[in-house]
């Protein structure tokens, strides 16, 4: 049986080299090459694909976005990422997208072909130690996100209004006029919201609000 391979890679020379490499193996056949997320969406309608070898960074999006588009039509397709970026966050995002493995572009050609074959067989190609490290990072990130949400939820409606106005660039006196409350009251609210957010300054609170995804609240 020959397995049908899709290569998602925007550098044509690299893509053609990978195709030539994989086509040397009797059980593999590259049936299509896509240069971005948009091309993957089109190919998913017209090609039967068993495995995709995908770069992470693409001109119109990311590998996980390409994978998501593909799996709308081919939910069981096997995924292997091949990228120059092997940072923990990127590898974790690839695994969360359903990748069986993640290789760097400096990998030997034989390793790439082997990874594609093993992914089709349903193997997990990430070393146990690296996988444990990545999962620990994911748990830490989830914990931080929960803590950030808790801190934002602890703000009163008035404090959220004031934080929103701070984010728009207003100082305390502007906020007092906007909300028709005293300057002293605004300062008191600001002190409380800084404390709840663990921020040492209004600027730090504004930055944290943006990082934590705080919604904008209309006065």
């Amino acid at each position: 049986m020959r397995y049908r391979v899709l290569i998602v890679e925007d550098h044509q020379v690299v893509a053609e080299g990978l195709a030539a490499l994989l086509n040397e193996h009797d059980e593999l056949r590259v049936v299509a090459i896509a240069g971005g997320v948009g091309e993957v969406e089109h190919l998913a309608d017209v090609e039967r694909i068993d495995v995709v070898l995908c770069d992470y960074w693409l001109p119109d999006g990311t590998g996980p976005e390409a994978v998501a588009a593909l799996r709308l039509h081919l939910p069981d397709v096997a995924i292997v990422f091949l990228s120059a970026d092997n940072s923990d966050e990127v590898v974790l995002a690839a695994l969360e997208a359903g990748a069986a493995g993640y290789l760097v572009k400096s990998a030997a050609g034989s390793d790439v072909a082997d990874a594609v074959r093993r992914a089709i067989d349903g193997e997990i190609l990430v070393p146990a130690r690296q996988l444990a490290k990545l999962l620990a990072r994911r748990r830490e990130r989830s914990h931080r996100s929960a803590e950030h949400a808790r801190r934002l939820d602890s703000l009163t409606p008035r404090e959220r209004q004031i934080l929103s106005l701070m984010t728009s660039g207003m100082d305390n006196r502007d906020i007092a006029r906007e909300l028709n409350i005293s300057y002293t009251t605004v300062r008191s609210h600001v002190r409380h919201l800084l404390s709840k957010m663990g921020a040492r300054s209004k600027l730090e609170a504004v930055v944290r609000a943006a990082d934590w995804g705080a919604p904008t609240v209309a006065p």
Side-chain angles (χ1 to χ4, degrees), residues 9-210:
E9 166 62 61
D10 61 305
H11 292 93
Q12 185 175 354
V13 172
V14 175
E16 291 175 352
L18 289 170
L21 167 72
L22 296 179
N23 283 333
E24 289 178 358
H25 298 267
D26 292 340
E27 70 274 31
L28 301 176
R29 180 162 72 92
V30 176
V31 296
I33 295 174
V37 178
E39 292 181 42
V40 169
E41 293 173 344
H42 170 70
L43 287 169
D45 286 330
V46 298
E47 290 286 355
R48 180 181 66 78
I49 299 164
D50 299 301
V51 60
V52 56
L53 182 62
C54 188
D55 197 356
Y56 189 90
W57 298 110
L58 300 168
D60 57 346
T62 65
E65 290 171 339
V67 168
L70 191 64
R71 283 193 157 161
L72 288 175
H73 305 274
L74 302 167
D76 298 325
V77 68
I79 308 294
V80 176
F81 278 89
L82 180 67
S83 177
D85 188 344
N86 66 341
S87 62
D88 286 348
E89 290 299 322
V90 163
V91 176
L92 183 56
L95 296 180
E96 290 175 338
Y102 195 103
L103 300 175
V104 293
K105 286 187 174 178
S106 58
S110 58
D111 291 338
V112 175
D114 183 57
V116 169
R117 286 195 299 264
R118 292 170 63 191
I120 294 169
D121 290 336
E123 293 187 40
I124 297 175
L125 309 176
V126 179
R129 180 175 296 181
Q130 183 184 17
L131 184 59
K133 176 185 175 184
L134 292 171
L135 292 176
R137 286 284 300 273
R138 182 182 184 182
R139 286 193 296 271
E140 180 184 350
R141 187 176 65 187
S142 297
H143 177 75
R144 286 200 305 268
S145 296
E147 173 63 16
H148 297 164
R150 186 193 66 77
R151 286 178 179 266
L152 289 175
D153 287 345
S154 72
L155 300 179
T156 66
R158 178 64 88 186
E159 288 165 354
R160 293 183 188 211
Q161 283 185 318
I162 290 173
L163 177 60
S164 180
L165 294 173
M166 285 166 49
T167 302
S168 72
M170 289 189 181
D171 62 22
N172 288 357
R173 296 191 185 281
D174 292 331
I175 293 171
R177 284 192 292 270
E178 178 71 22
L179 299 181
N180 195 29
I181 57 179
S182 72
Y183 173 76
T184 302
T185 299
V186 172
R187 288 188 61 185
S188 176
H189 284 307
V190 169
R191 282 197 302 271
H192 289 147
L193 74 86
L194 291 182
S195 176
K196 290 178 179 180
M197 296 181 69
R200 291 162 294 185
S201 68
K202 290 193 292 183
L203 177 58
E204 186 176 4
V206 166
V207 171
R208 289 191 173 194

